[in-house]
């Protein structure tokens, strides 16, 4: 592994390069949301290489930037500003800089926005903070003057440092039970020597001498293929295993092989709440915790992680989608766990699909990538060649659960035939099943993918609905926190029982259930049961997730009431029943992926049941028992469902058999939005193989205080859709208050 520590080891933030003019110019992309890079004068001496991190003036401030290469020469040198300084860091790897440029081109995001994600931790560009540590002089003096005699306190310090070598003063005080003055005095008399070292603790290397779990025949066959792929260039694998089949243990084998080759590994998870349980499994397998990267890390933690990755010290990084932009120096493997998850799609600022960008980075880095899932995305399924399309991914199949566990039986409850009592949400068959598990000392999971208490509150007299003042959406009641909340913009308000429209007193009524309301019913039906709610409102950090999972595994919870957080990768050994309270919830609307998403969600949550020796059952409450999604779930025909979805997409000429892009216009003024829409309409291009639909009002036409319109562009796969859009919108002058966002391969159609 190459050593990427500070190049010159000097002090200060940046190497002072002066501001003298030079004949050499550099193209640099500042880490701000600008479309292109700019030319700057290079500092004296050898020009910084491509990938070097520099500080450059931009307007009235200094900002970090990334050197892309020689200047374009489009601006006369006498008008150029000079690079202020060059970071004492090794340049970013060439393949990583290529990735930054290609991602910006693909997503049509400003190049500077991608650079900003890469350089998201400005303090990581500086040398790490220093701390003073104390150690014993070598050798210790044989005879000491009277004034330096070793008191009992000093003896404890000497004994401690003889064991550990060196420590900072606060640690010595704590471990030796002495005051700070004891240490200071000993240093003054030469009994201790001090030195300054980097305050960041060293990164512990994973151990390779710990045996993994004994693999099944299927697991070993897949592991053999993955081990052989390490170090042999780019290759993409779909690790397609049923829930509980041990996919993690299989890709751990590839991780171990990459570690043995002194390479770095990136593992992406869709939710930070999964990080805690996954980290424990990794630590059990490799003896140390991996380096983590997610939004719950503090500034210091992110600074340390960024530098450790850039030095090559952090060998395994597990994180959310933003970990894709860390500066690896020897990337040998990428894993995208739960690759089907829609959480990998970022919908704001830079809009991108992290799974697809991970494949791009693996290709540019020349390393294998493993996409793991029990319910593969349609895109990945098609890429395996299973539907007759060209094979881009190699499919590795794990068809059976480990530990002799069996897949759960999936049973449909037709709510038209056996509805719940009025004002209740659990049908009699599900209530009986939960009670049977309580009697047997087993656990149940009631799944409802709806946060809060109720999705709608309206007046029983006039029908007026409580809506968000900033969005075309209902305010969701959250009774645990005593608030009404908009789940789109985050606006909150105090609830009221009186109607603001007609003045009716005590007339506001909650409509429909959320998990909090479901918890009320559980309390009424099963008063002696211990229950807990698992949602992003109640479990907000990896630490909270860890405590929640431990309480379930320790048997402190009888009934889990959960949202989609409960569907993702959790292993509850004693959980034998899953009840999906509203299986129809995700089927409504015109979302392209509604059926696929609903199938994946319910298949995943059903897979939480029966993962150990006790058999499991999943019960789906539905009014659409004949819906193709329900039919596929009840029959266990996953592959047939995927093939039918493929056929439907192909017949409709929709992705993955075509390319889609959404253009979203937003403005605080409705008239300006209409003007922008007319400007796009008047300049709408005509290309063979390209359909342009809109602009029309967006389904959610008012969001976060802005009016919205959408354009949908559909093109044949042979068409460069980005070039079509650039040539179109590049010639349109929009009103200054109108913003245009481009979403390549949209997942949300709001």
């Amino acid at each position: 592994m190459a050593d990427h520590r500070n190049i010159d080891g000097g002090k200060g933030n940046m190497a002072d390069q002066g501001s003298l003019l030079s004949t050499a110019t550099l193209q640099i992309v500042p880490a701000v949301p600008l479309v292109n890079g700019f030319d700057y004068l290079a500092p004296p001496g050898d020009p910084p290489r491509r990938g070097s991190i520099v500080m450059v003036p931009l307007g009235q401030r200094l900002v970090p930037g990334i050197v892309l290469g020689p200047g374009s020469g489009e601006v006369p040198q006498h008008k150029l500003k000079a690079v202020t300084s060059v970071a004492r860091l090794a340049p970013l790897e060439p393949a990583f800089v290529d990735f930054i440029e290609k991602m910006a081109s693909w997503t049509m995001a400003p190049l500077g926005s991608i650079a900003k994600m890469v350089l998201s931790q400005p303090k990581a560009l500086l040398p790490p903070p220093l701390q003073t540590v104390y150690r014993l002089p070598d050798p210790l003096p044989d005879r000491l003057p009277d004034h330096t005699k070793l008191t009992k306190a000093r003896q404890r310090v000497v004994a401690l440092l003889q064991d550990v070598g060196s420590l900072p003063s606060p640690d010595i005080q704590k471990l030796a039970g002495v005051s700070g003055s004891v240490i200071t005095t000993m240093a003054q008399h030469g009994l201790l020597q001090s030195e300054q070292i980097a305050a960041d603790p060293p990164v512990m290397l994973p151990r390779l001498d710990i045996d993994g779990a004994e693999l099944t025949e299927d697991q070993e066959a897949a592991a053999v293929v993955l081990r052989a792929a390490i170090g042999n260039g780019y290759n993409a694998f779909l690790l397609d295993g049923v829930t509980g089949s041990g996919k993690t243990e299989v890709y751990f084998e590839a991780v171990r092989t990459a570690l043995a080759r002194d390479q770095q590994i990136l593992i992406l998870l869709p939710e930070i709440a999964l990080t805690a349980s996954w980290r424990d499994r990794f630590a059990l397998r490799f003896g140390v915790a991996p380096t983590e990267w997610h939004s719950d890390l503090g500034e210091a933690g992110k600074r340390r992680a960024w530098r450790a990755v850039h030095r090559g010290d952090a060998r395994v990084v597990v994180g959310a989608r933003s970990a894709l932009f860390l500066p690896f120096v020897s990337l040998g493997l990428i894993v995208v766990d739960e690759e089907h998850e829609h959480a990998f799609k970022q919908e704001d600022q830079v809009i991108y699909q992290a799974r697809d960008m991970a494949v791009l980075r693996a290709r540019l880095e020349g390393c294998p990538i493993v996409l793991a899932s029990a319910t593969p995305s349609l895109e990945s399924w098609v890429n395996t060649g299973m539907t007759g399309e060209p094979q881009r991914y190699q499919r590795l199949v794990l068809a059976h659960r480990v530990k002799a566990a069996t897949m759960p039986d999936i049973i449909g409850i037709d709510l038209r035939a056996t509805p719940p009592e009025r004002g209740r949400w659990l049908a009699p068959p599900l209530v009986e099943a939960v009670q049977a598990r309580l009697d047997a000392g087993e656990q149940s999971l009631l799944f409802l993918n709806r946060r809060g208490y109720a999705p709608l509150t309206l007046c029983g007299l006039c029908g007026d609905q409580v809506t968000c003042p900033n969005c075309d959406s209902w305010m969701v009641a959250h009774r645990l926190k005593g608030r009404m909340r908009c789940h789109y913009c985050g606006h909150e308000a105090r609830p009221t029982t009186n109607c603001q429209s007609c003045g009716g007193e005590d007339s506001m009524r909650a409509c429909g259930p959320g998990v909090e309301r479901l918890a009320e019913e559980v309390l009424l039906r099963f008063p002696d049961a211990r229950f807990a709610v698992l949602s992003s409102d109640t479990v907000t950090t990896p630490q909270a997730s860890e405590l929640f999972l431990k309480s379930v595994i320790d048997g402190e919870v009888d009934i889990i009431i959960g949202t989609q957080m409960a569907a993702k990768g959790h292993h509850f050994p004693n959980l034998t029943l899953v009840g999906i309270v509203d299986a129809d919830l995700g089927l409504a609307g015109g979302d392209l992926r509604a059926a696929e998403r609903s199938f994946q969600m319910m298949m995943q949550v059903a897979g939480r049941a029966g993962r150990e020796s006790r058999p499991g059952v999943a019960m789906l409450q539905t009014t659409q028992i004949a819906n193709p999604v329900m039919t596929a779930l009840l029959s266990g025909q996953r592959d047939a469902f995927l093939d039918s979805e493929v056929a439907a997409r192909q017949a409709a000429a929709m992705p993955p058999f075509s390319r889609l892009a959404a253009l979203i216009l937003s403005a605080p003024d409705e008239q300006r939005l209409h003007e922008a829409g007319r400007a796009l309409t008047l300049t709408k291009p005509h290309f063979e193989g390209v359909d342009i639909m809109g602009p029309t009002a967006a389904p959610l036409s008012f969001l976060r205080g802005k009016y919205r319109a959408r354009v949908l562009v559909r093109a044949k796969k042979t068409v460069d859709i980005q070039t079509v859009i650039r040539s179109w919108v590049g010639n349109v002058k929009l009103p200054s208050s109108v913003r245009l966002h481009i979403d390549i391969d949209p997942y949300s159609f709001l």
Side-chain angles (χ1 to χ4, degrees):
M1 179 84 59
D3 189 347
H4 280 69
R5 292 170 176 79
N6 293 347
I7 294 174
D8 61 9
K11 297 181 179 180
N13 327 357
M14 302 277 185
D16 183 9
Q17 301 289 345
S19 57
L20 297 177
L21 295 181
S22 168
T23 56
T25 62
L26 299 170
Q27 187 179 35
I28 294 169
V29 54
V32 293
L34 298 171
V35 174
N36 297 308
F38 296 99
D39 282 4
Y40 285 88
L41 294 173
D46 293 334
R49 302 202 321 258
R50 176 174 167 84
S52 295
I53 299 171
V54 296
M55 293 296 290
V56 294
L58 188 69
Q60 300 301 311
R61 57 186 176 136
L62 289 176
V63 297
I66 301 170
V67 176
L68 300 179
S72 65
E74 295 176 358
V75 179
Q77 286 197 27
H78 70 274
K79 293 185 177 181
L80 297 180
K81 295 181 179 180
V83 171
T84 303
S85 54
V86 181
R88 293 192 181 103
L89 295 168
L92 303 176
E93 293 297 311
F96 187 31
V97 183
D98 291 345
F99 170 74
I100 294 168
E101 292 181 311
K102 289 184 182 297
M103 178 177 170
S105 177
W106 176 264
T107 62
M108 301 189 69
L111 183 61
S113 294
I114 312 292
K116 185 176 181 180
M117 291 194 294
V118 173
L119 304 180
S120 62
Q121 302 302 311
K123 290 186 178 180
L125 308 181
L126 312 177
L130 300 176
Q131 66 176 349
T132 301
V133 296
Y134 294 89
R135 58 181 174 81
L136 299 174
D138 187 20
L140 274 170
D142 294 331
R143 299 183 62 185
L144 301 175
D146 290 341
H147 64 278
T148 61
K149 65 181 180 180
L150 289 181
T151 63
K152 290 184 178 180
R154 292 176 178 180
Q155 290 174 19
R156 293 198 298 272
V157 172
V158 170
L160 173 65
L161 295 183
Q162 283 176 330
D163 287 339
V164 300
S166 63
L167 284 174
S169 177
D171 291 348
I172 298 173
Q173 294 175 46
K174 180 178 179 181
L175 296 173
V178 299
S179 65
S181 61
V182 171
I183 300 165
T184 303
T185 303
M186 290 179 70
Q188 289 172 348
H189 294 325
L191 299 177
L192 294 178
Q193 292 183 348
S194 66
E195 61 178 332
Q196 286 194 317
I197 64 170
D200 294 346
V203 179
M204 302 298 292
L205 295 179
R207 291 175 53 188
L208 303 181
D209 59 340
I210 301 175
D211 292 333
E214 184 177 349
L215 301 183
T216 65
E217 185 176 336
D218 284 350
Q219 286 178 307
E220 181 59 31
V224 166
V225 175
L226 294 182
R227 291 189 201 108
I230 301 300
N232 287 309
Y234 168 74
N235 209 333
F237 300 92
L238 175 63
L239 184 56
D240 182 3
V242 299
T243 55
S245 60
K247 294 182 288 295
T248 304
E249 291 298 332
V250 171
Y251 71 67
F252 274 178
E253 292 297 306
V255 168
R256 186 187 184 283
T257 303
L259 287 170
R261 296 177 64 93
D262 210 18
Q263 295 175 331
Q264 293 174 291
I265 298 98
L266 168 62
I267 300 173
L268 297 179
L269 300 178
E271 299 279 355
I272 64 171
L274 295 178
T275 308
S277 58
W278 189 97
R279 181 192 62 217
D280 292 343
R281 293 184 67 179
F282 182 90
L284 186 64
R285 178 68 173 81
F286 294 103
V288 298
T291 298
E292 295 183 32
W293 183 272
H294 48 71
S295 59
D296 198 53
L297 277 182
E299 183 181 273
K302 285 190 172 182
R303 177 190 60 76
R304 288 194 294 267
W306 195 99
R307 289 189 69 92
V309 170
H310 184 261
R311 290 194 308 266
D313 293 344
R315 300 299 178 88
V316 180
V317 176
V318 58
R321 56 185 180 237
S322 60
L324 188 60
F325 304 100
L326 288 171
F328 292 92
V329 296
S330 183
L331 191 55
L333 173 67
I334 299 176
V335 178
V336 182
D337 208 345
E338 308 289 0
E339 64 87 24
H340 65 279
E341 274 291 342
H342 292 256
F344 283 123
K345 175 75 175 187
Q346 177 159 303
E347 303 280 5
D348 57 357
Q349 298 178 356
V350 177
I351 303 174
Y352 66 96
Q353 166 52 268
R355 177 199 63 223
D356 297 344
M357 293 301 100
V359 173
L360 172 62
R361 184 159 189 191
R363 184 182 295 116
L364 295 171
E365 297 275 0
C367 71
I369 180 169
V370 178
L371 309 176
S373 177
T375 53
S377 63
L378 212 62
E379 289 82 1
S380 296
W381 182 251
V382 169
N383 281 335
T384 62
M386 296 293 293
T387 61
E389 293 293 301
Q391 184 182 16
R392 296 181 176 88
Y393 302 164
Q394 182 176 346
R395 181 176 177 233
L396 306 175
V397 181
L398 304 179
H400 307 286
R401 285 186 159 181
V402 298
K403 299 181 181 179
T406 58
M407 294 297 292
D409 294 327
I410 301 181
I411 300 171
I413 300 175
D414 189 342
L415 293 178
R416 296 169 300 179
T418 55
E421 303 99 309
R422 184 177 180 83
R424 301 288 181 92
W425 315 103
L426 303 179
L430 183 53
V431 173
E432 293 170 8
V434 172
Q435 186 60 59
R437 267 56 186 191
L438 290 172
D439 294 342
E442 298 171 359
Q443 294 169 317
S444 302
L445 165 62
L446 297 177
F447 175 79
L448 178 61
N449 196 24
R450 188 182 278 145
R451 294 160 50 203
Y453 182 83
L456 170 64
T457 303
L458 55 75
C459 176
L461 300 177
C462 71
D464 187 58
Q465 303 167 357
V466 179
T467 58
C468 175
N470 305 318
C471 306
D472 285 335
S473 63
W474 299 332
M475 294 284 281
V476 178
H478 286 256
R479 289 197 176 177
L480 288 178
K481 294 187 176 181
R483 308 294 286 175
M484 303 290 290
R485 179 181 299 165
C486 174
H487 286 179
Y488 290 101
C489 72
H491 175 78
E492 291 190 355
R494 292 184 179 277
T496 177
T497 58
N498 302 330
C499 179
Q500 302 298 308
S501 180
C502 71
E505 295 185 2
D506 199 26
S507 62
M508 304 308 292
R509 301 289 181 263
C511 299
V515 286
E516 292 178 13
R517 197 171 194 184
L518 188 60
E520 279 189 355
E521 181 173 350
V522 167
L523 181 62
L524 290 171
R525 289 189 183 276
F526 313 106
D528 296 328
R530 299 164 299 173
F531 68 88
V533 176
L534 175 58
S535 79
S536 59
D537 297 313
T538 59
V539 179
T540 58
T541 66
Q543 291 74 25
S545 174
E546 190 172 9
L547 291 173
F548 184 95
L549 298 180
K550 185 177 185 302
S551 68
V552 175
I553 292 171
D554 290 347
E556 298 171 3
V557 177
D558 301 314
I559 302 173
I560 306 167
I561 303 166
T563 62
Q564 62 179 346
M565 287 183 68
K568 300 175 182 178
H570 300 305
H571 182 84
F572 303 123
N574 197 38
L575 195 150
T576 59
L577 173 67
V578 168
I580 300 177
V581 176
D582 188 351
D584 306 332
L585 186 59
L587 297 175
D591 188 336
L592 171 69
R593 296 176 173 84
E596 177 190 2
R597 183 183 290 133
S598 293
F599 180 87
Q600 290 166 341
M601 180 73 72
M602 287 187 278
M603 194 74 177
Q604 288 282 343
V605 73
R608 299 314 104 199
R611 295 171 69 93
E612 294 277 350
S613 57
R614 300 182 184 184
V617 174
M619 307 180 79
L620 317 181
Q621 295 191 158
T622 177
T623 60
Q624 304 180 50
I625 199 73
N627 185 285
V629 172
M630 304 305 166
T631 302
L633 287 165
L634 297 175
S635 65
Q637 298 297 314
R638 189 208 69 174
D639 291 4
F641 170 77
L642 289 172
D643 289 341
S644 68
E645 278 293 293
V646 166
R649 298 268 190 95
Q650 199 164 21
M654 296 299 278
F657 302 99
S658 66
R659 298 184 58 196
L660 279 187
L663 280 61
I664 304 104
L665 294 164
S666 60
D669 179 78
E670 201 167 7
Q671 180 59 35
R672 293 291 180 90
L673 184 68
H674 292 324
E675 292 175 12
R678 282 195 297 271
L680 285 177
T681 301
L682 291 173
T683 57
K684 188 182 297 186
H686 299 280
F687 290 95
E688 185 177 352
V690 178
D691 298 317
I692 299 177
M693 295 154 272
T696 59
L700 201 60
S701 60
F702 188 61
L703 179 66
R704 298 185 182 94
K706 293 187 177 181
Y707 297 93
R708 303 169 72 244
R710 291 179 65 95
V711 179
L712 195 63
V713 181
R714 180 178 61 184
K716 292 182 177 179
K717 294 186 74 172
T718 56
V719 173
D720 186 343
I721 197 170
Q722 287 90 347
T723 297
V724 170
I725 295 171
R726 285 191 191 97
S727 64
W728 175 20
V729 302
N731 295 318
V732 178
K733 184 170 178 57
L734 299 175
S736 59
S737 59
V738 177
R739 295 289 176 265
L740 172 64
H741 298 276
I742 299 173
D743 183 357
I744 301 296
D745 191 20
Y747 275 44
S748 170
F749 292 84
L750 293 176

